[in-house]
Amino acid sequence: MYDTQVTLVGCVATQIDYKETVNGPAARFRFAVTPRYYDRRKDTWTDGSTSFYTVWARRTLAVNLVGSVSVGEPLVVHGRLRVREDPPDGEGNRWFSADIDATAIGHDLNRGTAAFRRVVRTDTPLMVTQKAAVV
């Protein structure tokens, strides 16, 4: 209901991990986001600290992701931010991680070109075939 929607611009840091689950296809990968800023004292562009996110894609987005994206490619990712706290380790350290449940993923066209190919669905929904048989 009150989800935090974010849009991140960065690069794919790991291979896409694709799995078929009982709820349908799912894919995940690590996403590196490094801010750049202009340092007036040095009169040059400088990289800030890199943040890493785990991006999750489900269903059709997962299938299209695995066929379209490779490590190192620049992407724009949009989705719901989820911050998780992992249980403390043996030394009492608390760890937090940020996950993105992606609703849209695309190549960053500021840094290259892409050729879009529409996926043609071959399966017909059950309701459509039943209606056709009744008519």
Side-chain angles (χ1 to χ4, degrees), residues 13-28:
T14 62
Q15 290 283 4
I16 309 297
D17 180 20
Y18 177 83
K19 291 188 168 117
E20 290 285 341
T21 68
V22 294
N23 296 324
R28 70 177 175 159

Side-chain angles (χ1 to χ4, degrees), residues 46-117:
T46 306
D47 287 340
S49 298
T50 301
S51 298
F52 290 91
Y53 301 86
T54 300
V55 177
W56 291 88
R58 297 186 186 355
R59 295 176 289 284
T60 304
L61 181 58
V63 174
N64 292 343
L65 176 73
V66 75
S68 304
V69 173
S70 301
V71 173
E73 293 183 346
L75 297 179
V76 178
V77 173
H78 180 77
R80 290 178 291 280
L81 174 66
R82 306 271 190 236
V83 178
R84 291 186 297 119
E85 180 179 2
D86 294 329
D89 61 11
E91 300 173 8
N93 296 324
R94 292 175 31 183
W95 293 95
F96 294 89
S97 60
D99 292 358
I100 308 297
D101 289 331
T103 54
I105 299 173
H107 286 99
D108 183 358
L109 298 181
N110 273 324
R111 295 155 76 191
T113 62
F116 180 77
R117 289 179 309 276

